[in-house]
Amino acid sequence: MGIAASMHDFGKTMMVCVMEHDVSHQHVAWEWFDYGQTLALLPMKGMRSSVVITLPAHDIQGLMAVNEEAFNHAVEVRFKHRLSAMRIVSTRHAYQLVTVDTDRFVALRFALIGNAAVGMHPVTAHGFNFGLRSAESLAHEIKVAYTSGRNIASTDLLVRYEKTHKRATRTLFLATHAIAKLYSNNALPARLIRRVSLHIGNRIFPFKRAVANMLTEIH
Ligand SMILES: Cc1cc2nc3c(=O)[nH]c(=O)nc-3n(C[C@H](O)[C@H](O)[C@H](O)COP(=O)(O)OP(=O)(O)OC[C@H]3O[C@@H](n4cnc5c(N)ncnc54)[C@H](O)[C@@H]3O)c2cc1C
């Protein structure tokens, strides 16, 4: 459709699977920013969690290839045995970490939604939410036009959708990109900035509350 997109390859791959574990997750989602790896544990029903491991691409290949016993052991070690014994109960899926950014979401009688419009780093866990929001915004415009007998694919309508969706996503897209770049850089200055910003962020309660409100969309 002639819509240019810029892509940023973080040089990392995310592996996702479901695991059972002996110690309860207590319904808490965890995210570790370690040197050389990022780990996430998202609680599911019962003694199960969705496990997300982010590593350089060649390290993920090893995890994808090993048998279940070796895989379980490798994940337990990475999680420092916090959940005691862990067992994989799903297939493993690997996703290359590439973000996609485009200036335009629309063209003639055409609109991008979902990741095709805003394909951001999963660290702030909002890609899917933004996808739903894009579908809702576009559907709203179409419904209004349809009920008043107007063209449901007019350029005005599509541009309105584009503006609405850009307003809803731009700030978090840029913030997420900046955070992801900072946390995937292990050079000393980046490590120092991380340490200082976490220290300040953790102590300034209004800032902490503002970030939490932005991510949960509570105003
Ligand atoms: C590890 C990980 C964790 C995430 N965690 C969260 C989270 O906690 N919260 C959140 O909100 N979001 C999260 N996301 C982001 C979320 O998964 C995506 O934003 C969402 O899946 C995008 O949905 P989509 O339908 O737009 O695109 P996709 O899910 O990418 O679907 C596009 C589909 O189109 C297919 N396709 C591509 N090209 C073609 C073609 N030429 N012809 C036919 N089919 C094609 C693809 O195979 C794919 O099935 C996460 C993403 C990852 C990778």
Side-chain angles (χ1 to χ4, degrees), residues 105-125:
F105 298 164
V106 299
L108 185 64
R109 299 184 69 77
F110 180 90
L112 295 172
I113 61 169
N115 264 31
V118 183
M120 65 179 203
H121 193 292
V123 68
T124 45

Side-chain angles (χ1 to χ4, degrees), residues 14 16 42 52 95 113-116 122 125-130:
M14 306 182 91
V16 186
L42 308 161
V52 186
Y95 299 92
I113 61 169
N115 264 31
H126 260 61
F128 183 66
N129 297 341
F130 280 171

